[in-house]
Amino acid sequence: MNSEIDIIDIAKTVLEGNNEGAYTVPSRKLYPHQWLWDSCFIAIGLSHYDNERAQIEILSLIKGQWHNGMIPHIIFKPGEKHKGDKDIWRSWTNPNAPDDVDTSGITQPPMLAEAIVKIGEKLPIGEKLTWYRKVLPALIKYHQWLYSERDPHNEGLVLLIHPWESGLDNTPPWMAELRSHQLPIWVRAVVKTKLTWIIERFRRDTRSVPVAERPSTEEALGLYSVQRRLRRKNYDIDKTLRHGMFAIEDLTFNCLLIRANQHLKEIARSLKHELNDELVESIGKTELALEQLWDPMTKQYYSRDFITHELLKEPSIAGLMPLYAGTISKDRAKILVKSLENKHLFGPNYPIPTTPLNSAWFYEKGYWQGATWINTNWLIIDGLRRLGFKTHVGALNEATIELISKSGMNEYFSPINGEPAGSDNFSWTAALIIDLIENNK
Ligand code: 9WN
């Protein structure tokens, strides 16, 4: 077991090892580029001891912003080495793609405002306002894009077009949708004829991480095929929606957006900047629309299909994210907290598993299908703190710090025995454990 001081030192070493100068890679082994929500979590950790680097991390993200306002989920490392990755995306076929940076063609959870505020909180007032002034135009453009492009019916709920945009790639509700509607014939044929072993030989991710800890080959092919279809439509939202492809109002994403909007309003207020009426109206709608994702029968929140408005009733950690949104009633929050306390749902030895233990999808080292991740713990702890669940915050903080102290800075962990899984030296684990320890003092 390491002491808290040791953990912070180890975490800083991980973040140094993954430092690329303008940004931090999530992991040297698996993810050699800059990822959107990773960088936001990373900046939150960095802000405790190197605020300048935290700001640089965020500015590098903003450099990848599309002309229409989208912040892309990946910004590719410049140079020839990873040319293959950029070529898979070919996002330059969309006229909105930035001119001097290569990026993916989709987005990821809107953690940007949270990172901006966490950086601001550690600066003296004058520097904080200078920082806010530097980033506010990009932040407004980003939130406007989320509504103008991803909320075409003005419902207040933003839709996603690829499971990767949820950040919880192969989480059960998305995978159930993928299996029932979206798997092309060639993927079904490969799976049916048990030819997945051929594909496995070409998988890069399973060279450093056991295949059982990554998305299954069927899932990986499914994710890839959706990406190919989006590429064929040049990442154009109208063409994408017209062709009846994936469109899901994702619960986690919209909960994070609710919180991000609150931060955006606060940043604008501190600069005496008035947000335009349309944006303010959409922000208000999102807070109200969360209620439409509540199912009174099962007493849970779910994601929803954009077209049919059917709730995707597969329990997952997303069901707890309204705690982070922070806008639900205390009674509702208590219902969610009950499932956190339940050892057979979200409360095993090393919480919080990404699916409840009684889910048919649960596997202790399952990628977003059971394993405990530090970013989802961080989000839920942050929400519980704001909602006043002091004892739960204390217990979850302690359990998370104990887990890292015992098992190291891995990507995710078994919620049953705490064993590490996925990549080692994972950046957001390192960054967020620094934040949790500092907030716990
Ligand atoms: C695809 C970088 C990212 C995280 C995601 C996580 C995983 C990528 C992948 O890694 O996704 O975006 O290749 O599997 O699911 O949350 O941002 O760490």
Side-chain angles (χ1 to χ4, degrees), residues 26 31 35 37-38 73-74 108 164 167-169 214 367-368 373 411 426 428:
Y31 313 113
W35 260 261
W37 77 333
D38 296 70
H73 105 294
I74 306 174
Q108 240 193 350
W164 283 332
L168 316 180
D169 307 1
R214 294 289 299 166
Y367 193 71
W368 299 116
W373 290 69
E411 195 177 2
F426 193 64
W428 81 39

Side-chain angles (χ1 to χ4, degrees), residues 23-314:
Y23 62 93
T24 312
V25 294
S27 132
R28 289 257 165 236
K29 284 184 192 150
L30 280 182
Y31 313 113
H33 310 288
Q34 179 172 27
W35 260 261
L36 197 176
W37 77 333
D38 296 70
S39 273
C40 297
F41 292 126
I42 290 164
I44 290 170
L46 288 175
S47 71
H48 285 281
Y49 67 98
D50 190 347
N51 203 302
E52 203 187 327
R53 184 171 154 201
Q55 292 177 38
I56 292 172
E57 183 90 30
I58 295 303
L59 293 175
S60 166
L61 264 187
I62 291 176
K63 212 171 152 223
Q65 184 165 38
W66 282 33
H67 300 308
N68 59 0
M70 180 176 86
I71 307 273
H73 105 294
I74 306 174
I75 300 172
F76 295 107
K77 185 182 161 85
E80 282 301 292
K81 186 158 176 230
H82 299 284
K83 200 173 165 300
D85 294 356
K86 300 169 207 173
D87 286 351
I88 287 179
W89 282 93
R90 294 208 288 274
S91 68
W92 52 81
T93 58
N94 184 306
N96 283 309
D99 309 322
D100 45 1
V101 210
D102 288 312
T103 77
S104 68
I106 57 171
T107 192
Q108 240 193 350
M111 283 302 295
L112 184 61
E114 177 80 87
I116 289 172
V117 165
K118 285 283 183 300
I119 290 174
E121 277 172 3
K122 301 185 188 73
L123 292 169
I125 179 77
E127 284 178 43
K128 170 167 127 177
L129 295 181
T130 309
W131 165 240
Y132 282 175
R133 224 168 274 126
K134 198 182 257 179
V135 291
L136 182 63
L139 188 63
I140 293 177
K141 205 170 158 195
Y142 172 42
H143 282 233
Q144 275 173 336
W145 170 81
L146 283 167
Y147 286 110
S148 63
E149 185 146 296
R150 298 306 186 84
D151 183 16
H153 296 166
N154 247 324
E155 296 177 318
L157 294 172
V158 158
L159 66 88
L160 304 186
I161 53 175
H162 194 295
W164 283 332
E165 292 196 310
S166 75
L168 316 180
D169 307 1
N170 61 337
T171 183
W174 278 93
M175 288 305 102
E177 280 297 287
L178 185 69
R179 279 188 196 158
S180 57
H181 304 297
Q182 302 274 340
L183 280 182
I185 294 169
W186 66 270
V187 175
R188 289 178 203 270
V190 168
V191 174
K192 208 165 164 205
T193 51
K194 300 206 167 36
L195 290 177
T196 39
W197 65 271
I198 301 180
I199 309 285
E200 266 152 39
R201 291 176 59 184
F202 293 98
R203 282 184 70 167
R204 202 171 59 187
D205 58 340
T206 50
R207 282 184 212 150
S208 56
V209 173
V211 67
E213 295 175 17
R214 294 289 299 166
S216 69
T217 294
E218 179 186 6
E219 289 167 352
L221 287 175
L223 293 165
Y224 173 61
S225 73
V226 181
Q227 191 259 319
R228 267 172 48 123
R229 272 183 279 170
L230 294 174
R231 185 177 73 195
R232 260 185 259 131
K233 305 276 171 271
N234 306 105
Y235 309 100
D236 178 300
I237 193 71
D238 295 330
K239 285 192 214 158
T240 302
L241 293 179
R242 219 176 300 133
H243 285 83
M245 295 170 46
F246 257 132
I248 288 173
E249 293 165 336
D250 182 73
L251 177 56
T252 303
F253 198 100
N254 280 284
C255 287
L256 270 53
L257 178 59
I258 289 176
R259 181 74 180 138
N261 283 334
Q262 293 165 349
H263 285 314
L264 168 63
K265 285 202 289 191
E266 190 47 46
I267 296 169
R269 201 175 304 131
S270 64
L271 292 176
K272 301 194 174 40
H273 176 99
E274 233 176 89
L275 297 173
N276 72 51
D277 293 347
E278 213 177 321
L279 181 55
V280 173
E281 198 186 307
S282 296
I283 289 176
K285 270 195 187 155
T286 305
E287 285 192 14
L288 296 175
L290 182 55
E291 190 54 23
Q292 294 172 33
L293 304 183
W294 173 253
D295 175 44
M297 291 294 281
T298 55
K299 293 198 177 342
Q300 291 193 49
Y301 288 92
Y302 299 103
S303 297
R304 184 172 86 168
D305 185 293
F306 168 69
I307 304 291
T308 63
H309 275 192
E310 242 174 77
L311 294 177
L312 311 179
K313 293 191 189 171
E314 270 310 332

